[in-house]
Amino acid sequence: MVQIPNTPPSASPAPRSVPTSADVARLAGVSRATVSYVLNNTSAVRISEPTRRRVHEAARELGYVPHAAARSLRAGHSRMVLMPAPAIPIGPLYGRFINELQWALGRLDYTVVQYGTVAVQGDEAARAWAELRPVAVIVPGAGLGPQGVTVLKRSGARAVVTLGPASVEGAHTLLMDQAAVGHAAAAHLHSRGRRRIGVVVPEEAGLETFSRPRLDGARDALRGTGAAITELPLAYTEEAAARLAARWGDLGLDAVFTYNDEYAMLLMSALQDTGVRIPEDTAVIGADDLMLGRLLRPRLSTVHIELPSGRDLAALVDRAVRNPGAAPETHRVLGASVVPREST
Amino acid sequence: MVQIPNTPPSASPAPRSVPTSADVARLAGVSRATVSYVLNNTSAVRISEPTRRRVHEAARELGYVPHAAARSLRAGHSRMVLMPAPAIPIGPLYGRFINELQWALGRLDYTVVQYGTVAVQGDEAARAWAELRPVAVIVPGAGLGPQGVTVLKRSGARAVVTLGPASVEGAHTLLMDQAAVGHAAAAHLHSRGRRRIGVVVPEEAGLETFSRPRLDGARDALRGTGAAITELPLAYTEEAAARLAARWGDLGLDAVFTYNDEYAMLLMSALQDTGVRIPEDTAVIGADDLMLGRLLRPRLSTVHIELPSGRDLAALVDRAVRNPGAAPETHRVLGASVVPREST
DNA sequence: TTGAAAGCGGTACCAT
DNA sequence: ATGGTACCGCTTTCAA
């Protein structure tokens, strides 16, 4: 029986295997060493112009692209800066920060790679990152312990920087104290004469890292003042907000800190629908100072958050890479200042 | 003159170099081959239990972590799926999509890596990606040409998928036709009896890829109907919105499509401040169907956008990787449907 | 059951 | 001005 090939030779030209520098050398009629010299413009070695041309020509013809893994294997190091990709879509604030950071590190000739952390936990994740032998690792949030730092350093990471609520043994830390946000918000409400203060706590998973400290900060600000805090769990849906608004009278609150501006908008909308006057009946303050707060009516008071510039963090990383022996720095980098507008 | 070393030996213990499988072998008193067998649980080979224990013990003691680059160099392939990181912070819609995709690819045992494309252009970028020898590349937006696809495939990428406005020769394409969004919006306004329609075009750099097709789609929907379109350049600031609102009467528009919900909120707020009644004087429709549209008063009509599920794209990638010979598929994946609410 | 050795794709030293 | 070659860390035949 005659077999008819299902892919005729003409249709799928036998997939030439990926060209290597040896292929380039062969085609140009030189050695692999010469190819390497030419393509890397090695200054310690002089190659004649005709040879250079032949090598470039051959590389172009074959579509040669060097193999990064082979190169860094040989070199013994890379300039890869690894960041775990955030597990949950984080706000525009953080997005901008990341972008600026990427740009700044790029300027310093590092390659930034965001690694898809697929639900791997702390020290488990650290191992996975270590396999890539990054020169530096930047870890947002909690979740990396001293163990993880050790693993990373042991496998050659010259800098480990965490961005989070607490400093980690052995790592540089950009201390982002979310409690300061809650503190500022609560203090502001108190200064406005409010005494029965609600604090919205999002029910969405993954937000506890932010919401818990913000709540604690608010508690802290009011300690000993006689003002009382009521925790208000709230899912990010209209229905949940309406339900909360429906029992607003029973709660007897004269102010609410809504975790952030988006929850503020959600709750304000529901409160206004049920006739609660803002700020007369209830003052509302959000956080993050997003554009939407300026667009709400009444205009939303909020806590403006000052993140470090991406350039600064890039500089810290670069310093740490150049001098891995230096003692870990801890910088308190989260500035929280109230922007009073019409809603309080 | 006596030099005092600035770092005394005791302070920075000579940084032991990174342990390799050879170190593990030495410590365990076995060969590197055995180490590899044990740590990879190679089923084709049986290693005695005492030996296994000794190897694991040694690996643990040294903090051994395998070198991914060396491994994939030897193996001749990796399971890395590369995506360029978006240059500008893109909305929550897209963020969720990416996250779902990462998760789904993770389930299929791929490692997703977002590569920080630092202002490198199309085919230049393709070369940089090719150096990493990813098994698949997913490229959102335009910017990758047929040239780039060739480079990637030549260097071993078994699947190249683009997510964008047009299909690219040689690559699988998820066709996201933004024009459909504008088309739906304009058609809706027309059906509501509006004839003098403004279309907001954001001035922010990097948004043209979306805004241009949305505008064109709106134009297309009204072609031959006698309705007229006015292009409205608008920066995302309160001042710009106020300026636009101030000359609203002169423009004589009875409706406006605002590019997306966020610009809708910006413009609605400015219009309401100047006494324009929505929808009586001017109908407003946004796009993206964000939560904020539901919270605005009047509630914002919008164009709901249906993206493909991350799982679907992951499945496409996996299929393409398993069968690189197959003809590139092009799927039209962007569903646009109007959600009429109170603002139109 | 274990070990010796080849080789993946580059780079850089040492000769010629 | 070039070429030969060892080596980076790991996997995987092939032998013993």
Side-chain angles (χ1 to χ4, degrees):
Chain A
M1 198 217 231
V2 179
Q3 287 280 345
I4 300 180
N6 51 11
T7 40
S10 59
S12 91
R16 288 183 315 343
S17 60
V18 184
T20 71
S21 75
D23 296 321
V24 176
R26 199 158 20 242
L27 183 57
V30 299
S31 74
R32 287 172 16 168
T34 304
V35 171
S36 176
Y37 294 143
V38 170
L39 296 184
N40 294 310
N41 263 313
T42 308
S43 52
V45 142
R46 293 195 45 74
I47 303 285
S48 72
E49 202 47 48
T51 305
R52 307 184 80 87
R53 217 189 312 286
R54 289 219 314 286
V55 170
H56 277 122
E57 176 65 20
R60 218 185 39 67
E61 182 170 336
L62 292 176
Y64 170 72
V65 175
H67 193 306
R71 173 179 299 174
S72 71
L73 178 59
R74 170 63 225 231
H77 61 256
S78 73
R79 291 190 63 82
M80 185 203 313
V81 176
L82 194 77
M83 299 185 59
I88 50 165
I90 221 64
L93 224 65
Y94 185 73
R96 257 191 295 279
F97 172 64
I98 295 290
N99 264 80
E100 197 182 329
L101 174 63
Q102 289 207 356
W103 185 85
L105 282 172
R107 300 283 309 187
L108 293 169
D109 200 37
Y110 293 94
T111 295
V112 181
V113 157
Q114 281 180 262
Y115 188 85
T117 308
V118 194
V120 260
Q121 303 295 341
D123 290 345
E124 180 78 19
R127 257 189 67 98
W129 304 334
E131 293 194 355
L132 300 180
R133 297 289 191 272
V135 68
V137 183
I138 302 176
V139 190
L144 182 73
Q147 301 264 33
V149 176
T150 306
V151 169
L152 289 170
K153 292 203 155 171
R154 251 225 198 23
S155 55
R158 293 166 65 89
V160 178
V161 184
T162 68
L163 276 51
S167 73
V168 180
E169 178 78 32
H172 298 266
T173 301
L174 260 46
L175 207 56
M176 314 223 289
D177 183 13
Q178 299 288 336
V181 178
H183 191 105
H188 171 72
L189 293 175
H190 187 264
S191 79
R192 285 284 202 262
R194 309 291 170 149
R195 293 297 179 267
R196 302 188 44 81
I197 297 176
V199 175
V200 168
V201 181
E203 288 181 340
E204 275 63 37
L207 257 45
E208 313 88 13
T209 359
F210 303 99
S211 61
R212 182 56 47 182
R214 288 186 181 189
L215 171 61
D216 291 342
R219 281 230 163 79
D220 189 52
L222 300 182
R223 199 175 313 285
T225 64
I229 277 193
T230 304
E231 222 172 303
L232 303 170
L234 176 61
Y236 194 63
T237 66
E238 282 184 276
E239 296 71 32
R243 251 174 285 137
L244 178 55
R247 59 192 187 92
W248 201 253
D250 302 338
L251 288 167
L253 302 173
D254 57 14
V256 58
F257 164 51
T258 58
Y259 170 67
N260 75 5
D261 289 354
E262 295 187 324
Y263 280 85
M265 183 175 184
L266 176 66
L267 184 56
M268 265 179 69
S269 167
L271 289 178
Q272 288 174 328
D273 283 353
T274 60
V276 175
R277 292 168 308 160
I278 298 170
E280 294 80 0
D281 302 332
T282 300
V284 177
I285 185 169
D288 291 0
D289 193 12
L290 302 184
M291 172 66 95
L292 68 80
R294 274 182 285 235
L295 303 178
L296 291 174
R297 299 294 180 268
R299 292 176 173 79
L300 179 67
S301 296
T302 190
V303 179
H304 177 81
I305 294 181
E306 189 80 40
L307 287 180
S309 83
R311 265 196 315 291
D312 292 346
L313 176 49
L316 169 60
V317 168
D318 189 44
R319 240 181 302 134
V321 166
R322 296 176 119 88
N323 183 6
E329 309 173 18
T330 292
H331 298 276
R332 170 175 241 89
V333 294
L334 188 143
S337 53
V338 170
V339 180
R341 290 200 275 247
E342 301 164 356
S343 68
T344 50
Chain B
M1 197 215 236
V2 178
Q3 289 280 346
I4 299 180
N6 50 13
T7 41
S10 60
S12 92
R16 288 185 314 345
S17 61
V18 184
T20 72
S21 75
D23 296 320
V24 176
R26 200 157 22 242
L27 182 56
V30 299
S31 75
R32 291 163 50 205
T34 304
V35 171
S36 178
Y37 293 143
V38 171
L39 296 184
N40 294 309
N41 263 312
T42 308
S43 52
V45 141
R46 293 198 46 75
I47 304 284
S48 71
E49 202 47 48
T51 305
R52 307 184 77 87
R53 217 189 314 284
R54 289 220 311 287
V55 170
H56 277 123
E57 176 64 20
R60 221 186 35 69
E61 182 169 337
L62 294 175
Y64 170 71
V65 175
H67 191 307
R71 187 200 302 252
S72 72
L73 179 58
R74 168 65 223 231
H77 61 258
S78 75
R79 291 190 63 83
M80 184 204 315
V81 175
L82 194 77
M83 298 186 60
I88 49 165
I90 221 66
L93 225 64
Y94 184 72
R96 255 191 296 279
F97 172 63
I98 296 289
N99 264 78
E100 197 182 330
L101 174 62
Q102 290 206 355
W103 185 85
L105 282 171
R107 300 283 309 187
L108 292 170
D109 201 37
Y110 294 94
T111 294
V112 181
V113 156
Q114 282 180 261
Y115 188 86
T117 307
V118 193
V120 260
Q121 304 294 342
D123 290 345
E124 178 78 20
R127 256 189 67 97
W129 303 335
E131 292 195 356
L132 299 180
R133 298 289 192 274
V135 67
V137 183
I138 302 176
V139 190
L144 182 73
Q147 302 265 33
V149 176
T150 305
V151 169
L152 289 170
K153 293 203 153 174
R154 250 224 195 35
S155 56
R158 292 167 65 89
V160 179
V161 183
T162 68
L163 275 50
S167 73
V168 179
E169 178 79 32
H172 298 263
T173 301
L174 261 43
L175 207 56
M176 314 224 291
D177 182 14
Q178 298 288 337
V181 178
H183 190 104
H188 172 72
L189 293 174
H190 186 266
S191 79
R192 286 285 203 260
R194 310 291 169 151
R195 293 297 178 267
R196 301 187 47 80
I197 297 175
V199 174
V200 168
V201 181
E203 287 180 342
E204 275 63 39
L207 256 45
E208 313 88 12
T209 1
F210 302 100
S211 62
R212 183 56 46 182
R214 287 186 183 191
L215 170 62
D216 292 341
R219 281 230 162 79
D220 190 50
L222 300 182
R223 201 175 312 287
T225 64
I229 278 193
T230 304
E231 224 173 299
L232 303 171
L234 176 61
Y236 194 62
T237 66
E238 283 183 278
E239 296 73 31
R243 251 174 286 136
L244 178 55
R247 58 192 187 91
W248 200 252
D250 302 338
L251 288 166
L253 301 173
D254 57 13
V256 59
F257 164 51
T258 59
Y259 170 68
N260 75 6
D261 289 353
E262 295 188 323
Y263 281 85
M265 184 175 184
L266 176 65
L267 183 57
M268 265 178 69
S269 167
L271 288 178
Q272 288 174 327
D273 283 353
T274 59
V276 175
R277 292 168 308 162
I278 298 170
E280 294 81 0
D281 301 332
T282 300
V284 177
I285 184 168
D288 291 359
D289 193 12
L290 302 183
M291 172 67 94
L292 69 80
R294 273 181 286 233
L295 303 178
L296 291 174
R297 299 294 180 264
R299 292 176 171 81
L300 179 67
S301 296
T302 189
V303 180
H304 177 81
I305 294 181
E306 188 80 40
L307 287 180
S309 83
R311 266 195 315 289
D312 293 346
L313 177 48
L316 170 60
V317 169
D318 190 44
R319 240 182 302 136
V321 166
R322 296 176 118 89
N323 184 7
E329 310 173 17
T330 293
H331 297 274
R332 171 176 242 88
V333 294
L334 188 142
S337 53
V338 171
V339 181
R341 289 199 275 247
E342 300 163 357
S343 69
T344 51

